[in-house]
Amino acid sequence: MLAFSAVPGLAIGLGVSKLLGSLFAGLSIQADRPLRVGEFCQIGENLGFVTKIGLRSLELQALESLVKIPNSLADEATIVNFSRRVRFSSPDPRQGMEVRLQLPADFSPFQLEELLRQTRLLIDDPDRLHGLKAESSLVSLDNDSGDSKTLIVFVLVELHGRPAYLQMRETLLVQLEELLERIELYEITIGDPYYTTSEQLVRVPELLRCAVNTDPCLNCVNCRLLKISACSYDHELEISSTHRLQDDFQESIHRLHQRFIKVLAKTNIEIPFPTQTLFVESPRP
């Protein structure tokens, strides 16, 4: 009987203990003031704007939803206040922003290097980010998503409020998606049929290089006979671009493909068509 009567008391005691823990943690947060309403912070794994600080919990407006964090957990978690990171050097508010993009699994080392290089150029170009210039930035790769890698971009920018934050994030995401689309076209494979003579094969790399370098905004980084496939000798080109606008780059690639066709046609080199063998079941007698 004594054991059973102690159960409700134990449950009540645990509940009161958690409540008191949250209350004391709330008082600690109010006293130490590691964060304030309206500031952009990371609390543990949660990233967003602080919208409310109560005695028992605080609320964080993340990108996807509103997160409610007990003060006891917030008090024990690592708190990164991006709005105060550079307050000592400037009175203007600074907010941190992190963007992660999963990359195609077949990206080559050359494409990864170009992606990192051009992402850093993008971050340093305020004209492409609607006039917003990053005070500091970090661009890196992570392979925590299995076979494919993840592009990580962190920027610290001067922003005023959540609408400006969302606009900046949308602009950055669009620019990064366009950059990914561009990098995918940085490797081009052109096949030459098996009946191509050895003399013609020797000329192919230089012909393709000249076709690329005709455009002042394109550069042929490398051109080599990559492999011998089922129906062709495959040459791979690695190119880079200095185009600022995605539409200009796509138009440039369109003209480049036309030059490839003309150059190969002048030297009597055809682009092979892969064939398919269809197995049809014979009708029964």
Side-chain angles (χ1 to χ4, degrees), residues 16-257:
V16 172
S17 176
K18 290 183 178 180
L19 176 61
L20 291 177
S22 293
L23 290 176
F24 282 120
L27 293 174
S28 175
I29 292 174
Q30 294 283 357
D32 296 340
R33 301 184 73 82
L35 45 82
R36 298 179 182 179
V37 173
E39 292 182 330
F40 186 77
C41 303
Q42 179 173 349
I43 304 175
E45 298 295 326
N46 301 294
L47 184 70
F49 288 89
V50 180
T51 58
K52 178 183 177 182
I53 301 177
L55 289 178
R56 296 181 56 188
S57 64
L58 58 86
E59 292 181 356
L60 200 67
Q61 180 61 60
L63 185 63
E64 297 84 5
S65 61
L66 186 67
V67 181
K68 191 172 183 179
I69 304 174
N71 287 334
S72 57
L73 296 180
D75 191 41
E76 296 179 359
T78 299
I79 298 177
V80 181
N81 192 327
F82 296 106
S83 296
R84 301 186 191 180
R85 174 171 286 188
V86 291
R87 180 169 293 178
F88 63 89
S89 61
S90 174
D92 298 323
R94 299 294 193 273
Q95 294 168 3
M97 180 185 307
E98 184 181 72
V99 174
R100 290 174 175 260
L101 288 180
Q102 188 170 346
L103 306 180
D106 58 350
F107 257 25
S108 69
F110 168 74
Q111 288 173 308
L112 293 175
E113 290 177 0
E114 281 296 306
L115 177 62
L116 291 173
R117 183 181 70 85
Q118 297 215 13
T119 300
R120 294 184 179 111
L121 292 176
L122 169 66
I123 299 301
D124 292 335
D125 189 349
D127 292 337
R128 298 172 65 183
L129 297 177
H130 293 179
L132 296 175
K133 182 173 178 59
E135 296 293 332
S136 61
S137 62
L138 173 66
V139 179
S140 183
L141 293 175
D142 195 359
N143 59 351
D144 57 356
S145 55
D147 295 335
S148 62
K149 291 179 172 55
T150 301
L151 175 68
I152 303 173
V153 179
F154 178 85
V155 293
L156 187 66
V157 293
E158 178 185 339
L159 295 173
H160 299 270
R162 182 168 176 78
Y165 170 82
L166 292 177
Q167 180 183 0
M168 174 63 175
R169 183 180 176 86
E170 291 171 359
T171 301
L172 183 58
L173 281 172
V174 170
Q175 291 289 342
L176 289 175
E177 289 288 352
E178 289 184 352
L179 186 56
L180 280 180
E181 183 179 341
R182 178 181 302 193
I183 298 297
E184 288 185 25
L185 297 176
Y186 272 16
E187 285 193 352
I188 303 173
T189 301
I190 296 181
D192 304 313
Y194 279 156
Y195 51 80
T196 304
T197 66
S198 58
E199 291 80 6
Q200 289 174 318
L201 283 176
V202 171
R203 296 186 58 194
V204 167
E206 186 59 29
L207 292 173
L208 298 180
R209 284 179 183 271
C210 291
V212 174
N213 294 331
T214 298
D215 190 328
C217 292
L218 294 178
N219 176 47
C220 183
V221 179
N222 208 339
C223 180
R224 54 181 176 262
L225 180 61
L226 179 65
K227 64 179 179 179
I228 301 175
S229 63
C231 60
S232 63
Y233 303 107
D234 293 340
H235 286 83
E236 181 189 73
L237 291 99
E238 295 175 344
I239 68 172
S240 61
S241 163
T242 58
H243 292 88
R244 291 175 58 85
L245 300 179
Q246 183 71 0
D247 290 341
D248 293 341
F249 171 73
Q250 291 178 340
E251 181 63 27
S252 182
I253 292 296
H254 170 71
R255 294 193 299 267
L256 175 62
H257 289 166

